[in-house]
Amino acid sequence: MLDAKDMTETAAVAHGLPPRDEDGNLRADFVDRVAEAIAAADTALLRDMVGDLHEADLGELIEALDSDLRPALIELLGADFDFTALIEVDDSVREDILEELPPETVAEGVRELDSDDAVYLLEDLDKEDQAEILDQLPPPERVALARSLDYPEDSAGRRMQTELIAVPPTWTVGHTIDYLRETAELPDRFYEIYVIGSDQRLLGAVALDRLLRTRRPVEIDELMDPERHRVRATDDQEAVARLFEHYNLVAAPVVDGDDRLVGVITIDDVVDVISEEAEEDIRALGGVKSDEELSDTVWTIARGRFNWLLVNLATAFLASSVLGLFEGSLEKMVALAVLAPIVASQGGNAATQTMTVTVRALATRDLGHANAWRVIVREALVGLVNGLAFAVITGVAAFAWFRVPELGIVIGLAMICNLFAAAVGGIAIPLVLHRLRVDPAVASGVFVTTITDVVGFFSFLGIATLWFGLK
């Protein structure tokens, strides 16, 4: 516990202490000062130090603090704490904090958030915890959040913001502008006005720039775009992201099954979706669970990675069993044991290149039935060209190493076979898995690696056995 003198010195140091260094990293001494202020329950100093931080910086600070200090920081700041910062932290960190805070505190913070951020904050909590927090909210806010939480995970309904501006088609431009100026309960940022009928069905949208450039007496229905791109609340968030990308959208209205306007999705939500999906694909290619976080415990991470490593071990035994078929050949020519892993490894790397491009093309819908065969042929030719190139390189290297000309020819032929198989397998396996509705990002790697190992070992040792007459 700091005494009065220590607190005075801490305050003096804290004032003017920038949270980040010249490289943009969070300063360790700044984190230490904040931790000391929390331990001393110095609310005034905390407000001076972190009160003006951007929510992203505040979220990074929260992750840098010890777990027992995080809820204390929030409770000490009280109404001055921006709950948007909790959107910026790892899921496991956020869940631990929310479980430690009283439901009343969380409910008060949720009320200050946009509805999409509030849903994101609550969606990973247990149903009981969600209900306990929702019970603390006024009925209109409670009903809106509960409805959003009822939509499927990763759907537009979970991502949408229910705060929007909707007007009837009979209003004039002047009436609409006056409404925007005089109404306090409006979204912080909006890009277009939505036009709805008496039954709440979406009729169209009016962009803000067009609204402001039009004379006041003009009616809204003369300005609205009735063909405005809209999304269903049940649409998958990846489909929504592709819609935004394809049509260069900034915002899109969200409707229910009866075409009634229920929310809006904006570009900041879509950027988050694109980032999350890309990160998920990258992790899946490495056999890492999509929800693994840097803040997870050793046991959680080890348990999450174990099953996929076990599958890889089984396929590794399968590939190694090919070596057993040529045990006699390996005993008679040690050079084969030295060179065989080179062929398999080169094939694995080539397959990974093809597989990465294929999985990403499937995710972005750039690869489909219309162009699948053309791309397969192209990748096969790429594998053949690279196979020929590396056949020459490895053949010369093998000859220089072991001074056996025939060995260079053998490894060259094996390299051609394996790089061709790697290219075909790298695209064919993800396509087959996609057709079977299995995520190719998750399952492709182990199958492709097994194929390249088996083909690499079998082609090299098989050709060597035939060429040298080994038994």
Side-chain angles (χ1 to χ4, degrees), residues 91-92 101 139 186 205 224 242 276 286 314 340 355 375 396 403:
D91 292 347
S92 57
L101 293 174
L186 292 179
M224 73 176 186
R242 287 193 297 273
E276 290 173 10
M355 180 182 65
V375 178
V396 171
R403 298 297 177 181

Side-chain angles (χ1 to χ4, degrees), residues 331-405:
E331 289 177 351
K332 293 181 179 180
M333 185 175 285
V334 178
L336 298 180
V338 175
L339 295 175
I342 296 176
V343 179
S345 174
Q346 195 72 357
N349 291 330
T352 299
Q353 290 177 330
T354 305
M355 180 182 65
T356 301
V357 172
T358 304
V359 169
R360 191 59 191 152
L362 287 171
T364 57
R365 300 297 191 271
D366 292 329
L367 179 60
H369 298 295
N371 61 348
W373 278 112
R374 178 174 61 81
V375 178
I376 289 174
V377 171
R378 186 199 69 182
E379 290 297 328
L381 291 175
V382 170
L384 189 59
V385 169
N386 279 335
L388 290 169
F390 282 99
V392 174
I393 295 171
T394 53
V396 171
F399 168 71
W401 190 351
F402 293 100
R403 298 297 177 181
V404 180

